Amino acid sequence: MTQWLEEQARVRERRGLVRSPLLRVANDRMVDLASNDYLGLATDARLAEAAREAIAKWGTGATSSRLVAGTTELHVELEHELAQLTGMDAALVFSSGYLANLGVTTALGGPGTLIVADEQCHASLIDGFRLSRSEVRKFRHSSVQDAADKLANRTQPRALIAVESIYSVGGDAAPLSELLALAEGHDAMLLVDEAHSLGVSGSGSNAGWGAIAGTRLAGHPNVIVTATLSKALGSQGGAVLGSLLLREHLVNRARSFVFDTALAPPAAAAALAAVGVIKAEPWRAAAVHHNAAALATGLQAAQGRPGTAVDRSLGAVQSIPMASAEAALAAARAAHEAGVRVGCFRPPSVPDGVSRLRLTARATLTSADIDQACATLRSILERTS
C-alpha cells in the first residue's frame, strides 16, 4: 500500500493535480472570489448573535442523532422556514448538503430505481447514486432529449432525474420546466440540487428564494429539492425538501439522517437567521447578479479579444477556461500572490480538457474589489496567453 501511495503522489505531481488546503487568515485583505458566501452572511452580526443565543440555550452540539435526542425547536422552525421560502411542502435538515444528497438518493434508489443524471452533477450526488445500487444513465449536459432517450424503455418501476438548478463550475442553469414535463410524462421524480441557486436565484418579491420558488415546480409532487445551508445562507448544514410523504420516508430510510449526529444548534440558528435576511433584504441577491455582470464585463476585455476570456453565466459563478490543469493552477497561485483569491478547478473536479478558474460573485464585493480583481486577472491572462 505504501508503494502505491508513493506512485499516486508522483502521478499527481506529474499531471499538476496536487492539492493542499490553503490557509485562510482571519480578517485578511484578500479580494475573495473563491468562497461560496454569495450574500456575505457568513460574517453577518445577526447570524453570529443567533448562534451565540443558541449556544447559551442548547450548547455547542446537538448531542445525538435527530431520532434520539438531537432534534431541537431550532431544527423544526428551520425546516418550516425553508419549506416556506422554497415553496415546498416540507423540509428535513441534515448536518451537511453532502449528506442531504447522499440521504435522498440512497433512500429512493435501489435495484428498482433508474437514475438519469446530468453528466455535470455534483460529486455528492454521484456518490449517492453509487451507494444506492441503482442503475445510472448519464445524459449530455442540459440535454432534455438525451435525458428522454435514457428514460425510454426502462424496465425499473421507479425513475429519478437528477440535475442542479445552477451548476457549480460553469454557472449555467438547468432547463427545469422542460425537465419537469419529462418527469411527468415518464412517471419520474425530478431531483433539483439548489446548492448554488438558493439565496441567489429568483426575481421580484422572490429574489433570493431560489430557482424553484414561484414556479410550477414549487410544491409539485414530482419534484424534490436539495439545498445547502453553507453557501448563500452563511452557515452549515443541508436540507431535502418535498412532500410530507417524502419527508416521512427519509426520516425512516435515509441512513445519513438516521445514523448521523444532528446539525449543531448554533448552525441551525444561524441558518434560520439567514432565511430571515434573505426575505428582508432582496438587494443582496440583486447585488450578486450586478457584481457577476461587472466581473464578466471587466474580464471580457482580457487579451484584447472581447468575449473570449470568461464564460458568462446567469448565476453568481463565472469561469475562465484555461489551456491545462497546470495553467489553471499557476494562474490561481499568481492571483493569490497578488491579493485575489479565485477557485481553481481541474481534474478530477472537472473532466480532462476543461480546467478553469472559477470566480464567485458576492453581494458584498465593492467596485474597488472588482476593479482590482479584473486588473489582476487580465494581467495574468495576458502573460499566459
Side-chain angles (χ1 to χ4, degrees):
M1 182 66 78
T2 299
Q3 183 179 357
W4 177 79
L5 289 172
E6 292 173 347
E7 291 172 355
Q8 291 297 302
R10 287 193 292 270
V11 170
R12 288 192 294 272
E13 182 68 32
R14 185 169 62 251
R15 297 184 61 195
L17 302 180
V18 176
R19 287 168 164 77
S20 60
L22 293 175
L23 179 64
R24 182 161 62 94
V25 180
N27 301 315
D28 65 25
R29 304 182 70 84
M30 299 281 288
V31 176
D32 181 14
L33 300 182
S35 78
N36 296 314
D37 182 24
Y38 295 132
L39 302 183
L41 295 181
T43 55
D44 189 281
R46 291 165 293 185
L47 273 65
E49 180 58 29
R52 281 192 291 268
E53 291 178 359
I55 290 173
K57 184 174 182 179
W58 297 102
T60 56
T63 74
S64 70
S65 76
R66 293 281 305 274
L67 296 179
V68 179
T71 297
T72 69
E73 295 167 351
L74 287 170
H75 295 96
V76 175
E77 187 177 358
L78 175 59
E79 288 169 346
H80 172 78
E81 289 300 315
L82 287 170
Q84 195 277 333
L85 182 72
T86 58
M88 303 303 288
D89 291 341
L92 185 66
V93 168
F94 291 68
S95 58
S96 76
Y98 203 109
L99 292 180
N101 277 339
L102 287 186
V104 69
T105 49
T106 54
L108 295 178
T113 300
L114 170 66
I115 296 178
V116 175
D118 190 287
E119 63 184 357
Q120 292 191 16
C121 278
H122 189 263
S124 58
L125 286 169
I126 294 171
D127 288 351
F129 303 157
R130 292 169 176 168
L131 290 170
S132 75
R133 299 173 292 112
S134 304
E135 180 183 348
V136 180
R137 300 176 186 173
K138 292 184 179 181
F139 62 89
R140 290 191 304 276
H141 181 50
S142 288
S143 172
V144 178
Q145 182 57 58
D146 197 33
D149 293 342
K150 297 296 189 293
L151 281 167
N153 301 316
R154 80 173 196 256
T155 58
Q156 297 86 349
R158 300 179 301 278
L160 178 70
I161 305 169
V163 299
E164 298 180 36
S165 50
I166 297 289
Y167 285 89
S168 59
V169 177
D172 55 313
L176 295 179
S177 295
E178 294 88 341
L179 287 166
L180 176 57
L182 180 65
E184 291 173 322
H186 287 268
D187 189 26
M189 299 294 287
L190 174 61
L191 171 61
V192 183
D193 185 338
E194 284 244 62
H196 293 271
S197 54
L198 186 63
V200 175
S201 298
S203 60
S205 60
N206 290 333
W209 293 30
I212 300 299
T215 72
R216 192 168 76 89
L217 284 82
H220 195 288
N222 290 62
V223 174
I224 303 166
V225 173
T226 61
T228 178
L229 314 179
S230 60
K231 292 182 171 61
L233 272 67
S235 182
Q236 193 73 30
V240 179
L241 303 104
S243 66
L244 288 167
L245 189 62
L246 171 70
R247 186 185 188 280
E248 191 270 340
H249 180 75
L250 295 178
V251 167
N252 287 276
R253 295 294 299 275
R255 293 172 66 85
S256 59
F257 175 85
V258 175
F259 298 105
D260 186 45
T261 298
L263 181 67
L272 182 58
V275 173
V277 174
I278 288 173
K279 291 180 178 180
E281 299 178 359
W283 66 263
R284 290 181 180 268
V288 170
H289 291 280
H290 177 272
N291 289 340
L295 282 170
T297 300
L299 288 167
Q300 281 171 346
Q303 302 172 335
R305 297 195 298 274
T308 62
V310 61
D311 282 350
R312 176 73 173 98
S313 79
L314 298 178
V317 172
Q318 311 299 313
S319 64
I320 303 174
M322 301 298 291
S324 65
E326 294 85 353
L329 182 59
R333 286 174 173 169
H336 191 275
E337 292 172 358
V340 178
R341 186 183 293 115
V342 300
C344 177
F345 281 69
R346 57 201 195 281
S349 299
V350 293
D352 287 333
V354 292
S355 293
R356 58 189 60 222
L357 301 181
R358 190 183 77 165
L359 318 177
T360 53
R362 297 182 299 109
T364 51
L365 289 172
T366 66
S367 57
D369 292 334
I370 294 171
D371 290 344
Q372 178 185 341
C374 289
T376 297
L377 291 169
R378 284 198 302 266
S379 175
I380 293 169
L381 292 171
E382 289 166 359
R383 294 198 304 267
T384 58
S385 62

